[in-house]
């Protein structure tokens, strides 16, 4: 090994050792969730593994992995559910996993999600550790793990994969690795439509960085400034994944640049500024006890907004604010299935940083007791949820 390779290997080992408590804590929370799900499902005569890998969107991803795009379901009401709504990176990885080992597409999707969830936890730690400190990083990871819909992180869905790519892209932005940030943003854009939030974060940070350098160089024009080439390359790479897939769908359907929106409309997904969601919440107050659910939804939305505003006040880096702001806006202001909104907010991990800071200030024993209690409640809720209505 060269000296450079040795230094890089040493740095990676040190980074992994620094993140180890967060990763071990995350693995313990997810193991608890899977154990409770297995026991709950067995008591109801269901297969926990089937719930994780072969229901809802998992079936669509596996179908794309096995046969490519082109499948659609026409519903009696006229809606058309087309598999083009699902971005391709997870199916590609499922196909790769099935090709290199004795795995079905569903098995490969489950394996990808497990590995990606650990990568996401590490990325979240890296971001929080860089912005604040190690203790805040550990707390941020644990809070992400114990979210009420955290069981989705272990499903053959794209949330874990997307969050991993987004977190590491943001870390690259924060540490000035512009080409890496652009490449990871490209991959995030091939994973979910909200990948454009990662591209926007890359662009925001790059532009602000260039402006700061220009202002700093103005008093001393003879002093050479770092070239902008790598930043520009990162900016060019960042939107290519999402834009490329959307344009390909438009070409395939004949709908032009906006053809993907027509595909989403077939699923009754769209962006209406939150009108449909507000109407859904308002309808809850027409009877009791549904009014309690309506009040809970209002409290939940208020908490999300408060967390974002608190992040602004605490001086989170602009890249994090742009990313979490777009993810939150798309989740809350889309006219999609309302039960999906908590799941759609999973990638918005910077919202958890104010809570992570507060948790980090507690004594270790108190923080562990609080986190453990929430983890148990989350595991029970996840098992109840997947054995009931579950995510669409």
């Amino acid at each position: 090994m060269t000296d450079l390779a040795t230094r890089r290997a040493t740095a990676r080992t040190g980074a992994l050792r620094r993140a180890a408590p967060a990763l071990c804590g995350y693995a313990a929370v997810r193991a608890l969730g899977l154990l409770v799900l297995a026991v709950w499902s067995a008591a109801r005569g269901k297969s926990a593994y089937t719930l994780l890998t072969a229901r809802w969107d998992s079936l669509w991803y596996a179908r794309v992995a096995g046969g490519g795009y082109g499948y659609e379901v026409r519903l009696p009401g006229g809606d058309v559910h087309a598999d083009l709504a699902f971005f391709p990176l997870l199916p590609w990885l499922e196909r790769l996993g099935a090709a290199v080992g004795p795995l079905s597409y569903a098995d490969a999707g489950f394996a990808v999600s497990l590995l990606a969830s650990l990568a996401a936890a590490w990325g979240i730690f890296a971001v929080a550790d860089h912005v604040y400190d190690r203790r805040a990083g550990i707390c941020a990871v644990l809070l992400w793990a114990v979210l009420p819909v955290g069981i989705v992180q272990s499903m053959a869905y794209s949330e874990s994969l997307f969050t991993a790519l987004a977190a590491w892209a943001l870390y690259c932005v924060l540490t000035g690795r512009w080409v890496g940030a652009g490449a990871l943003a490209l991959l995030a854009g091939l994973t979910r439509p909200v990948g454009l939030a990662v591209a926007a974060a890359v662009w925001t940070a790059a532009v602000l960085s260039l402006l700061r350098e220009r202002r700093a160089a103005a008093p001393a024009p003879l002093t050479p400034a770092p070239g902008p080439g790598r930043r520009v390359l990162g900016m060019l790479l960042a939107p290519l994944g999402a834009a490329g897939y959307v344009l390909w769908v438009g070409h395939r359907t004949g709908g032009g640049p906006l053809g993907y929106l027509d595909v989403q409309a077939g699923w009754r997904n769209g962006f209406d500024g939150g009108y449909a969601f507000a109407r859904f919440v308002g309808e809850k107050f027409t009877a009791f006890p549904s009014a309690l659910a309506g009040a809970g939804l209002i409290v939940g939305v208020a908490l999300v907004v408060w967390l974002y505003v608190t992040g602004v006040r605490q001086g989170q880096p602009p890249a994090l604010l742009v990313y979490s702001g777009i993810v939150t806006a798309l989740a809350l202001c889309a006219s999609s299935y309302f039960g999906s909104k908590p799941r759609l907010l999973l990638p918005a991990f910077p919202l958890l940083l104010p809570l992570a800071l507060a948790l980090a200030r507690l004594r270790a024993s108190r923080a562990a007791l609080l986190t453990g209690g929430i983890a148990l409640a989350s595991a029970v809720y996840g098992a109840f949820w997947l054995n009931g209505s579950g995510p669409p």
Side-chain angles (χ1 to χ4, degrees):
M1 294 178 68
T2 66
D3 290 341
L4 178 60
T6 301
R7 288 197 298 269
R8 286 177 175 174
T10 302
R12 284 194 295 268
T13 302
L16 179 58
R17 186 180 298 115
R18 184 173 179 82
L23 297 180
C24 290
Y26 177 80
V29 172
R30 289 273 44 86
L32 175 63
L34 293 174
L35 176 62
V36 173
L37 175 64
V39 173
W40 192 297
S41 301
R44 293 176 59 87
K46 295 183 179 181
S47 166
Y49 191 70
T50 298
L51 294 175
L52 293 169
T53 63
R55 292 195 67 188
W56 306 294
D57 290 3
S58 300
L59 294 173
W60 287 90
Y61 284 119
R63 187 183 292 275
V64 172
Y69 287 102
Y71 179 77
E72 62 183 28
V73 176
R74 295 184 176 272
L75 303 181
D79 292 337
V80 178
H81 289 183
D83 58 9
L84 291 169
F86 297 89
F87 276 50
L89 185 57
L90 178 57
W92 288 347
L93 293 175
E94 289 180 344
R95 184 180 299 178
L96 177 63
V100 300
L103 300 175
S104 67
Y105 297 123
D107 296 335
F110 182 64
V112 167
S113 289
L114 288 183
L115 294 175
S117 67
L118 287 170
W122 192 358
I124 292 169
F125 170 82
V127 169
D129 182 30
H130 179 81
V131 175
Y132 299 112
D133 55 35
R134 186 187 193 193
R135 189 176 176 90
I138 294 172
C139 292
V141 170
L142 293 177
L143 288 172
W144 191 66
V146 302
L147 287 172
V149 293
I151 190 65
V152 174
Q153 298 162 16
S154 300
M155 296 179 67
Y157 270 41
S158 61
E159 274 75 10
S160 290
L161 178 61
F162 176 80
T163 305
L165 294 168
W168 283 108
L170 291 170
Y171 178 74
C172 286
V173 165
L174 296 174
T175 55
R177 296 172 170 89
W178 298 106
V179 177
L184 289 167
L186 186 157
L187 293 174
L190 288 171
T191 307
R192 296 186 65 81
V194 76
L196 288 174
V198 188
V202 173
W203 273 67
T204 299
V207 169
L208 291 176
S209 175
L210 289 169
L211 291 176
R212 283 195 299 268
E213 284 189 2
R214 177 171 296 183
R215 287 195 297 268
L222 297 179
T223 302
R230 298 182 70 83
R231 262 165 296 199
V232 173
L233 179 56
M235 292 171 70
L236 292 176
L237 287 172
L240 292 183
Y245 181 69
V246 166
L247 292 175
W248 178 80
V249 170
H251 174 73
R252 178 172 175 129
T253 61
L258 301 180
Y260 182 76
L261 298 181
D262 297 331
V263 172
Q264 286 286 3
W267 288 81
R268 302 241 175 157
N269 293 332
F271 188 87
D272 61 1
Y275 171 75
F277 185 41
R279 187 177 62 183
F280 173 77
V281 173
E283 290 173 352
K284 295 293 183 182
F285 290 94
T286 59
F288 188 85
S290 63
L292 297 177
L297 289 172
I298 292 175
V299 171
V301 171
L303 175 61
V304 168
V305 173
W306 177 79
L307 288 172
Y308 185 80
V309 172
T310 302
V312 174
R313 291 176 175 173
Q314 291 178 345
Q316 281 187 21
L320 299 187
L321 294 173
V322 168
Y323 167 74
S324 61
I326 294 176
V327 173
T328 301
L330 291 177
L332 296 181
C333 298
S335 58
S336 56
Y337 177 69
F338 304 113
S340 297
K341 294 192 180 295
R343 175 172 66 86
L344 297 178
L345 284 169
L346 266 179
F349 68 89
L351 293 176
L352 299 173
L353 295 184
L355 296 178
L357 286 175
L359 186 62
R361 296 189 187 105
L362 298 178
R363 290 204 308 264
S365 58
R366 183 173 298 178
L369 182 62
L370 178 61
T371 305
I374 298 174
L376 180 58
S378 174
V380 171
Y381 176 78
F384 168 78
W385 187 43
L386 288 197
N387 278 275
S389 60

